[in-house]
Amino acid sequence: MKFAHLLSASVLLEAALLLRVVQSFSTIVSSPSKLRPSSSSLHMVGGSASSDSDFEKPRSVSDNQTVNPNVYNIPLKEAAQLWTASTQESNNADRQAGVPYLNSKSKDYFVDDVFSLRISRDGGLGMELLELAGGRDDGIGITIVQGVTKGGNAEKAGIIPGDSIAAVTVYDLGSTSNGGNVNNFGGLVEETNSRVRACECKDFDNTIDALANFPGENADELYLDVKRIRRWPKVKVQVEYPPSQCAEGFNPVKQLEFFAGENLKRALQNRGIVLDDPAAPKCDFCGSNACYVSIYKGKAILNPMGPTEEKLMERNPNVRLSCKTTVGYNMQEGELKLKVNLSQWK
């Protein structure tokens, strides 16, 4: 384990060892014609796994439903226990196969990107670094911010303990009169060139090199891309079945917990809620006859209706198409209460 303070040479005496944990989940969906008490998936409450097709990463879109994502920041000690490095087997638009990237051990937390934090080098960066994993010949490891100096440059830039530096960008100013880059008055044209050093999943030495040596002596400031672990916001959901579909002894009210950003229909099905409403019209989007749900609490934490859905629900403003509904829109937490299988209510 290695430590450094970018203002002084003090040595810290504690560290954390990260173990990689692979999370696996399963989805159970059933569709009996009559609901009965049992130990089956009908009684699943709370955590079902999130998958890429089931939910979207919480977004920060500027509208009246936006939540400041910093409310979901977590303390250093907790973050240090959650950081891990992962790889993937195939290429996609986000990253290459086999290239390590920072990840969270727990599905209850997510790794967020904080881009281009501008930090002055005047007087030092004002942060302490802690190596959680390293010692490899290839320089791969995990290095995080152990602490920031109160009132220092790192704190002013918005860096917090538990962050991990993913990239360092330096902008170099220069001037030229070659290649036609001369202004109308025959003077020199100032150019800005950028240099970037990636340091995600790097050990202590490589991270220090990116922060201290890579910028060079003439760089007055840096722009840091940061990885930050945040708690995944959740929504408490109460689902109510129509009594006509429930056998004697079956509780028609189910208490669940969803992640913010989950698709409502898939979230219900993944947690064993049976959507079965033969008398209802089929949804134009998903083709299901049980897509319609009635929201009687928590409409404000759902995504706004699109034009088509708004037109369809003009006479039923409390009804939503579950296949087109996002729970906990824009990182909102709260409580949601709804009824399913609407035509079966008598």
Side-chain angles (χ1 to χ4, degrees):
M1 301 293 180
K2 298 179 181 178
F3 311 87
H5 194 306
L6 297 184
L7 282 179
S8 66
S10 60
V11 179
L12 306 177
L13 299 178
E14 63 179 31
L17 178 64
L18 294 184
L19 299 176
R20 182 175 178 179
V21 176
V22 178
Q23 301 284 353
S24 62
F25 310 98
S26 61
T27 298
I28 304 175
V29 180
S30 58
S31 55
S33 58
K34 196 76 169 179
L35 304 178
R36 301 182 181 277
S38 70
S39 59
S40 71
S41 62
L42 293 176
H43 289 272
M44 289 174 60
V45 175
S48 107
S50 29
S51 68
D52 289 342
S53 61
D54 289 339
F55 71 101
E56 58 185 356
K57 185 176 179 178
R59 300 170 297 162
S60 297
V61 180
S62 296
D63 61 19
N64 59 3
Q65 292 178 284
T66 301
V67 175
N68 183 349
N70 286 324
V71 301
Y72 304 123
N73 294 344
I74 61 175
L76 167 67
K77 185 176 180 180
E78 192 174 0
Q81 298 296 324
L82 289 168
W83 280 119
T84 188
S86 301
T87 58
Q88 60 187 33
E89 295 181 357
S90 57
N91 295 330
N92 62 19
D94 295 326
R95 55 179 61 93
Q96 295 180 332
V99 177
Y101 63 92
L102 289 169
N103 204 354
S104 167
K105 291 180 178 180
S106 170
K107 66 183 178 65
D108 293 321
Y109 300 82
F110 69 99
V111 177
D112 205 2
D113 293 296
V114 183
F115 294 113
S116 298
L117 295 179
R118 182 179 180 180
I119 179 170
S120 172
R121 300 179 80 195
D122 185 18
L125 298 181
M127 70 172 81
E128 302 169 4
L129 297 182
L130 165 65
E131 183 184 79
L132 298 176
R136 294 165 53 113
D137 293 337
D138 56 9
I140 292 175
I142 300 175
T143 304
I144 67 172
V145 176
Q146 167 78 12
V148 295
T149 303
K150 186 174 180 59
N153 290 327
E155 184 183 62
K156 291 177 181 178
I159 296 171
I160 65 173
D163 285 350
S164 184
I165 310 300
V168 178
T169 301
V170 179
Y171 292 96
D172 299 318
L173 296 178
S175 59
T176 181
S177 59
N178 298 324
N181 293 324
V182 181
N183 61 29
N184 294 333
F185 302 99
L188 297 178
V189 175
E190 189 176 73
E191 292 183 337
T192 301
N193 300 310
S194 63
R195 296 181 288 118
V196 181
R197 171 71 65 85
C199 48
E200 180 176 358
C201 285
K202 295 299 183 181
D203 61 14
F204 173 87
D205 291 337
N206 280 276
T207 303
I208 287 291
D209 184 65
L211 289 168
N213 299 324
F214 167 72
E217 295 181 358
N218 296 326
D220 296 327
E221 60 187 19
L222 311 177
Y223 290 80
L224 305 183
D225 292 345
V226 166
K227 298 288 183 178
R228 180 173 297 170
I229 287 189
R230 289 182 165 129
R231 176 178 63 83
W232 204 300
K234 296 180 180 179
V235 176
K236 294 181 179 179
V237 181
Q238 178 177 295
V239 180
E240 193 172 350
Y241 285 110
S244 63
Q245 286 189 321
C246 300
E248 183 178 354
F250 180 83
N251 185 0
V253 178
K254 300 299 175 185
Q255 304 294 338
L256 308 173
E257 189 175 65
F258 293 174
F259 292 102
E262 283 197 82
N263 175 273
L264 178 56
K265 181 181 178 181
R266 288 190 289 266
L268 290 169
Q269 292 176 325
N270 286 350
R271 290 159 176 81
I273 297 299
V274 179
L275 302 177
D276 185 18
D277 195 3
K282 288 188 176 182
C283 172
D284 292 336
F285 294 98
C286 67
S288 169
N289 60 358
C291 183
Y292 303 89
V293 296
S294 177
I295 309 295
Y296 59 96
K297 183 176 182 180
K299 287 196 297 181
I301 64 173
L302 305 177
N303 63 308
M305 288 186 182
T308 302
E309 185 182 8
E310 195 171 34
K311 186 67 175 177
L312 288 171
M313 302 307 172
E314 192 171 7
R315 296 183 179 181
N316 300 286
N318 293 328
V319 174
R320 293 293 304 261
L321 298 175
S322 60
C323 72
K324 303 296 290 183
T325 301
T326 300
V327 179
Y329 178 69
N330 277 354
M331 300 186 74
Q332 294 180 95
E333 289 189 305
E335 187 177 2
L336 181 67
K337 294 184 178 181
L338 59 93
K339 295 179 179 180
V340 298
N341 305 335
L342 301 186
S343 70
Q344 305 301 312
W345 285 82
K346 298 178 181 178

